[in-house]
Amino acid sequence: MLGVGKQFPKFKVKATVSTDPKTAFVDIDNETYKGKWQIFFFYPKDFTFVCPTEIKGFADLNGQFKDRDAQLMTASVDSEFV
């Protein structure tokens, strides 16, 4: 587990960024949102009883994150197709 002041590890992952099948999936890495605050929210699996509530809570605040030049990113153990 990372603590305050620790650097996030380098990563490269497939991300779902749209509901349009032609543009839905892109690769992102540490440089994708360079210069922005990056908030990572991890949840265990889609479609469990807790996750939708937490995801909706973060989604409701997404505009406030953007106003603060922060990029919100969520991650689960499911594939990008879920």
Side-chain angles (χ1 to χ4, degrees), residues 12-18 23-28 33 73-74 80:
K12 183 175 182 180
V13 296
K14 184 73 67 184
T16 306
V17 297
S18 165
T23 60
F25 308 119
V26 299
D27 290 325
I28 64 170
Y33 300 105
M73 292 176 269
T74 62
E80 65 272 19

Side-chain angles (χ1 to χ4, degrees), residues 19-32:
T19 57
D20 179 350
K22 295 178 184 173
T23 60
F25 308 119
V26 299
D27 290 325
I28 64 170
D29 61 22
N30 299 69
E31 301 295 315
T32 303

